[in-house]
Amino acid sequence: MTRKNRILISGWTAAGKTTHARLVAAELGWTYIGMSHVMKEFTAIKDLRDWTPQQDQLRRSDRSIDLKADDHLLEVVSSSSSIIVDAWLQPWLYRSSSAIRVWLDSSRSARAKKCTVSYLRDQNLMPERQAANIVHDKDVFAREQFARLYGIRFGYDPALFDLRIDNSTYIADTSISASDAGIREFQPVLMRRLEFLLESARGGEE
């Protein structure tokens, strides 16, 4: 069995990919890299936030941005080990069996709450309905963009992913305290599942 020394985390908008990928990397002592940081470089948008609507406007008008960013991240993943990757498409684009592929599920209502809290953390107030619209629009854009560029039907694929795990119930309301509590509660659940997969892979090498 091929050694599993990469973890690729995917999921819909505001599912919690970045937050939990960073926490997993910290707990395992592995390197973290996220597509949000890469995309900021390739769109040259100077903003403290990981994502802005302007990024998707640029990507819609110039599809080469996605191709270049995806190729760059794929090169990083291919040349690295002990790495946690938070990126929509890497589970599809990185074809080696050396990765554990994780689909992070979260309901639309939970993702709207998490999006609202993300803006609160930046001291920006946003109605949850508006956040839900942002999440919906970004989902639609991503689905259409990936289909156009790669012919990929984005979403959970049981033939591709090693782990599907849902964190929908871990955010009680749209407050930073509720979000932090949910993150603390869900993270050990995710880590137990990942550690089991890593240990199973190590056992298969013997």
Side-chain angles (χ1 to χ4, degrees):
M1 181 181 291
T2 304
R3 182 171 179 239
K4 304 291 187 181
N5 54 14
R6 299 164 177 86
I7 297 174
L8 313 178
I9 300 181
S10 185
W12 290 107
T13 307
K17 301 184 294 295
T18 300
T19 296
H20 291 288
R22 285 173 171 160
L23 289 171
V24 169
E27 290 198 44
L28 292 178
W30 288 15
T31 301
Y32 163 80
I33 186 168
M35 177 52 91
S36 294
H37 177 74
V38 173
M39 194 60 73
K40 284 174 71 173
E41 293 184 5
F42 279 86
T43 56
I45 291 179
K46 306 300 182 184
D47 197 290
L48 293 177
R49 288 174 292 177
D50 285 336
W51 172 84
T52 65
Q54 290 75 22
Q55 286 181 2
D56 289 352
Q57 291 172 11
L58 283 174
R59 293 167 61 200
R60 186 177 285 108
S61 62
D62 182 359
R63 295 176 188 172
S64 71
I65 292 173
D66 273 51
L67 297 174
K68 293 173 183 176
D70 288 332
D71 283 349
H72 172 76
L73 186 54
L74 180 59
E75 183 178 344
V76 172
V77 174
S78 299
S79 62
S80 305
S81 62
S82 300
I83 187 170
I84 313 293
V85 182
D86 146 36
W88 296 63
L89 285 185
Q90 284 303 306
W92 283 267
L93 300 180
Y94 180 73
R95 299 182 180 276
S96 171
S97 60
S98 65
I100 291 174
R101 292 163 172 81
V102 179
W103 180 263
L104 188 55
D105 245 343
S106 199
S107 68
R108 288 184 181 179
S109 60
R111 293 189 290 124
K113 288 184 175 69
K114 284 181 269 192
C115 180
T116 303
V117 172
S118 292
Y119 278 85
L120 282 175
R121 292 186 192 277
D122 294 330
Q123 299 183 334
N124 293 315
L125 296 177
M126 173 178 288
E128 192 171 328
R129 182 182 296 274
Q130 183 180 351
N133 289 336
I134 289 174
V135 167
H136 173 267
D137 290 347
K138 186 163 173 57
D139 283 351
V140 170
F141 167 72
R143 184 171 60 242
E144 293 175 349
Q145 184 87 334
F146 302 153
R148 281 193 297 261
L149 293 178
Y150 299 105
I152 289 174
R153 184 177 180 180
F154 185 78
Y156 173 66
D157 179 354
L160 178 66
F161 287 91
D162 303 288
L163 173 62
R164 182 184 191 180
I165 187 166
D166 194 319
N167 66 5
S168 301
T169 62
Y170 289 87
I171 181 166
D173 56 59
T174 51
S175 67
I176 293 175
S177 60
S179 176
D180 288 346
I183 290 167
R184 287 193 301 270
E185 188 178 356
F186 176 70
Q187 184 63 20
V189 176
L190 174 60
M191 284 303 303
R192 284 195 295 271
R193 299 287 297 275
L194 287 173
E195 287 168 349
F196 174 80
L197 290 171
L198 289 168
E199 186 61 34
S200 296
R202 282 193 290 268
E205 295 171 16
E206 298 173 357

Short mmCIF file of all heavy atoms in Angstrom, two decimals, residues 80-107:
data_model
loop_
_atom_site.label_atom_id
_atom_site.label_comp_id
_atom_site.label_asym_id
_atom_site.label_seq_id
_atom_site.Cartn_x
_atom_site.Cartn_y
_atom_site.Cartn_z
N SER A 80 5.80 17.70 -2.47
CA SER A 80 5.84 17.80 -1.00
C SER A 80 5.35 16.51 -0.37
O SER A 80 4.76 15.66 -1.01
CB SER A 80 4.96 18.97 -0.53
OG SER A 80 5.32 20.17 -1.16
N SER A 81 5.59 16.40 0.91
CA SER A 81 5.02 15.32 1.71
C SER A 81 4.68 15.87 3.08
O SER A 81 5.11 16.98 3.43
CB SER A 81 5.99 14.14 1.82
OG SER A 81 7.18 14.53 2.46
N SER A 82 3.91 15.12 3.83
CA SER A 82 3.43 15.59 5.14
C SER A 82 2.79 16.97 4.98
O SER A 82 3.16 17.93 5.66
CB SER A 82 4.58 15.63 6.15
OG SER A 82 5.13 14.34 6.32
N ILE A 83 1.81 17.05 4.09
CA ILE A 83 1.19 18.32 3.75
C ILE A 83 -0.33 18.19 3.81
O ILE A 83 -0.89 17.16 3.42
CB ILE A 83 1.65 18.79 2.35
CG1 ILE A 83 1.15 20.21 2.05
CG2 ILE A 83 1.22 17.81 1.25
CD1 ILE A 83 1.77 20.81 0.79
N ILE A 84 -0.98 19.23 4.34
CA ILE A 84 -2.43 19.32 4.39
C ILE A 84 -2.85 20.38 3.38
O ILE A 84 -2.35 21.51 3.43
CB ILE A 84 -2.95 19.74 5.78
CG1 ILE A 84 -2.27 18.93 6.88
CG2 ILE A 84 -4.46 19.63 5.85
CD1 ILE A 84 -2.61 17.48 6.90
N VAL A 85 -3.76 20.03 2.49
CA VAL A 85 -4.15 20.93 1.41
C VAL A 85 -5.64 21.23 1.51
O VAL A 85 -6.47 20.32 1.58
CB VAL A 85 -3.83 20.31 0.04
CG1 VAL A 85 -4.19 21.28 -1.08
CG2 VAL A 85 -2.37 19.92 -0.05
N ASP A 86 -5.94 22.51 1.51
CA ASP A 86 -7.33 22.98 1.51
C ASP A 86 -7.58 23.57 0.12
O ASP A 86 -7.13 24.68 -0.17
CB ASP A 86 -7.50 24.01 2.64
CG ASP A 86 -8.48 25.13 2.31
OD1 ASP A 86 -9.49 24.86 1.64
OD2 ASP A 86 -8.22 26.27 2.74
N ALA A 87 -8.22 22.78 -0.74
CA ALA A 87 -8.43 23.23 -2.12
C ALA A 87 -9.59 22.46 -2.74
O ALA A 87 -9.69 21.24 -2.57
CB ALA A 87 -7.17 23.02 -2.96
N TRP A 88 -10.42 23.18 -3.45
CA TRP A 88 -11.61 22.56 -4.03
C TRP A 88 -11.28 21.36 -4.92
O TRP A 88 -11.90 20.30 -4.81
CB TRP A 88 -12.36 23.60 -4.88
CG TRP A 88 -12.93 24.76 -4.14
CD1 TRP A 88 -12.24 25.72 -3.45
CD2 TRP A 88 -14.31 25.13 -4.02
NE1 TRP A 88 -13.10 26.65 -2.94
CE2 TRP A 88 -14.37 26.31 -3.28
CE3 TRP A 88 -15.49 24.57 -4.51
CZ2 TRP A 88 -15.57 26.95 -2.98
CZ3 TRP A 88 -16.69 25.21 -4.22
CH2 TRP A 88 -16.72 26.38 -3.45
N LEU A 89 -10.31 21.51 -5.82
CA LEU A 89 -10.14 20.54 -6.90
C LEU A 89 -8.98 19.57 -6.74
O LEU A 89 -8.88 18.62 -7.52
CB LEU A 89 -9.95 21.28 -8.23
CG LEU A 89 -11.19 21.91 -8.85
CD1 LEU A 89 -10.85 22.48 -10.22
CD2 LEU A 89 -12.32 20.90 -8.98
N GLN A 90 -8.09 19.76 -5.77
CA GLN A 90 -6.93 18.89 -5.69
C GLN A 90 -7.27 17.41 -5.53
O GLN A 90 -6.53 16.56 -6.04
CB GLN A 90 -5.99 19.36 -4.58
CG GLN A 90 -5.17 20.59 -4.96
CD GLN A 90 -4.34 20.41 -6.20
OE1 GLN A 90 -3.55 19.47 -6.29
NE2 GLN A 90 -4.49 21.30 -7.18
N PRO A 91 -8.35 17.03 -4.85
CA PRO A 91 -8.67 15.59 -4.82
C PRO A 91 -8.86 14.99 -6.21
O PRO A 91 -8.62 13.79 -6.40
CB PRO A 91 -9.98 15.55 -4.01
CG PRO A 91 -9.88 16.73 -3.11
CD PRO A 91 -9.23 17.80 -3.95
N TRP A 92 -9.29 15.80 -7.17
CA TRP A 92 -9.45 15.32 -8.55
C TRP A 92 -8.14 15.44 -9.33
O TRP A 92 -7.79 14.55 -10.10
CB TRP A 92 -10.52 16.14 -9.27
CG TRP A 92 -11.93 15.79 -8.92
CD1 TRP A 92 -12.75 14.91 -9.58
CD2 TRP A 92 -12.70 16.32 -7.84
NE1 TRP A 92 -13.99 14.87 -8.97
CE2 TRP A 92 -13.99 15.72 -7.90
CE3 TRP A 92 -12.44 17.24 -6.83
CZ2 TRP A 92 -15.00 16.02 -6.99
CZ3 TRP A 92 -13.44 17.54 -5.92
CH2 TRP A 92 -14.70 16.93 -6.00
N LEU A 93 -7.42 16.54 -9.15
CA LEU A 93 -6.27 16.83 -9.99
C LEU A 93 -5.02 16.05 -9.57
O LEU A 93 -4.20 15.69 -10.41
CB LEU A 93 -5.97 18.34 -9.97
CG LEU A 93 -7.10 19.25 -10.48
CD1 LEU A 93 -6.67 20.71 -10.40
CD2 LEU A 93 -7.51 18.88 -11.90
N TYR A 94 -4.86 15.83 -8.27
CA TYR A 94 -3.71 15.05 -7.78
C TYR A 94 -4.11 13.58 -7.81
O TYR A 94 -4.95 13.13 -7.02
CB TYR A 94 -3.32 15.49 -6.38
CG TYR A 94 -2.13 14.73 -5.83
CD1 TYR A 94 -0.85 14.96 -6.31
CD2 TYR A 94 -2.30 13.76 -4.85
CE1 TYR A 94 0.24 14.26 -5.85
CE2 TYR A 94 -1.21 13.05 -4.36
CZ TYR A 94 0.05 13.30 -4.86
OH TYR A 94 1.13 12.60 -4.39
N ARG A 95 -3.53 12.83 -8.72
CA ARG A 95 -4.03 11.49 -9.00
C ARG A 95 -3.34 10.37 -8.22
O ARG A 95 -3.76 9.22 -8.29
CB ARG A 95 -3.91 11.21 -10.50
CG ARG A 95 -4.74 12.18 -11.35
CD ARG A 95 -4.64 11.86 -12.83
NE ARG A 95 -5.43 12.79 -13.61
CZ ARG A 95 -6.73 12.68 -13.83
NH1 ARG A 95 -7.40 11.66 -13.32
NH2 ARG A 95 -7.36 13.58 -14.57
N SER A 96 -2.29 10.69 -7.49
CA SER A 96 -1.56 9.66 -6.77
C SER A 96 -2.39 9.10 -5.61
O SER A 96 -3.22 9.79 -5.01
CB SER A 96 -0.25 10.24 -6.22
OG SER A 96 0.37 9.34 -5.34
N SER A 97 -2.12 7.84 -5.30
CA SER A 97 -2.80 7.20 -4.16
C SER A 97 -2.14 7.53 -2.84
O SER A 97 -2.52 6.99 -1.79
CB SER A 97 -2.79 5.68 -4.35
OG SER A 97 -1.46 5.19 -4.42
N SER A 98 -1.17 8.45 -2.85
CA SER A 98 -0.46 8.82 -1.61
C SER A 98 -1.24 9.82 -0.77
O SER A 98 -0.74 10.28 0.25
CB SER A 98 0.91 9.40 -1.95
OG SER A 98 0.77 10.62 -2.66
N ALA A 99 -2.47 10.17 -1.17
CA ALA A 99 -3.25 11.17 -0.46
C ALA A 99 -4.52 10.55 0.14
O ALA A 99 -5.13 9.66 -0.44
CB ALA A 99 -3.64 12.32 -1.38
N ILE A 100 -4.88 11.07 1.30
CA ILE A 100 -6.21 10.83 1.87
C ILE A 100 -7.09 11.99 1.42
O ILE A 100 -6.75 13.16 1.64
CB ILE A 100 -6.17 10.76 3.41
CG1 ILE A 100 -5.42 9.49 3.84
CG2 ILE A 100 -7.58 10.79 4.00
CD1 ILE A 100 -5.19 9.41 5.33
N ARG A 101 -8.20 11.67 0.79
CA ARG A 101 -9.10 12.69 0.25
C ARG A 101 -10.32 12.81 1.16
O ARG A 101 -11.02 11.82 1.41
CB ARG A 101 -9.51 12.33 -1.18
CG ARG A 101 -8.34 12.42 -2.16
CD ARG A 101 -8.62 11.69 -3.46
NE ARG A 101 -7.57 11.94 -4.44
CZ ARG A 101 -6.40 11.31 -4.47
NH1 ARG A 101 -6.13 10.38 -3.55
NH2 ARG A 101 -5.49 11.60 -5.39
N VAL A 102 -10.56 14.03 1.63
CA VAL A 102 -11.62 14.29 2.61
C VAL A 102 -12.66 15.22 2.01
O VAL A 102 -12.32 16.29 1.49
CB VAL A 102 -11.05 14.92 3.90
CG1 VAL A 102 -12.17 15.21 4.90
CG2 VAL A 102 -9.98 14.03 4.51
N TRP A 103 -13.92 14.80 2.08
CA TRP A 103 -15.03 15.69 1.70
C TRP A 103 -15.68 16.20 2.99
O TRP A 103 -16.21 15.42 3.77
CB TRP A 103 -16.06 14.96 0.86
CG TRP A 103 -17.21 15.86 0.47
CD1 TRP A 103 -18.42 15.95 1.10
CD2 TRP A 103 -17.24 16.81 -0.59
NE1 TRP A 103 -19.21 16.89 0.49
CE2 TRP A 103 -18.50 17.45 -0.55
CE3 TRP A 103 -16.32 17.20 -1.57
CZ2 TRP A 103 -18.87 18.44 -1.46
CZ3 TRP A 103 -16.69 18.19 -2.47
CH2 TRP A 103 -17.95 18.79 -2.41
N LEU A 104 -15.59 17.52 3.19
CA LEU A 104 -16.16 18.14 4.38
C LEU A 104 -17.57 18.62 4.05
O LEU A 104 -17.75 19.58 3.31
CB LEU A 104 -15.27 19.29 4.84
CG LEU A 104 -15.62 19.94 6.18
CD1 LEU A 104 -15.67 18.90 7.29
CD2 LEU A 104 -14.58 21.01 6.52
N ASP A 105 -18.54 17.92 4.58
CA ASP A 105 -19.95 18.23 4.33
C ASP A 105 -20.44 19.29 5.31
O ASP A 105 -20.02 19.32 6.47
CB ASP A 105 -20.81 16.97 4.51
CG ASP A 105 -21.46 16.53 3.22
OD1 ASP A 105 -21.53 17.34 2.27
OD2 ASP A 105 -21.90 15.37 3.15
N SER A 106 -21.37 20.10 4.86
CA SER A 106 -22.02 21.07 5.73
C SER A 106 -23.27 21.56 5.01
O SER A 106 -23.23 21.83 3.81
CB SER A 106 -21.08 22.24 6.03
OG SER A 106 -21.49 22.95 7.17
N SER A 107 -24.36 21.66 5.75
CA SER A 107 -25.63 22.07 5.14
C SER A 107 -25.58 23.53 4.69
O SER A 107 -24.72 24.31 5.15
CB SER A 107 -26.77 21.89 6.14
OG SER A 107 -26.63 22.80 7.21
#
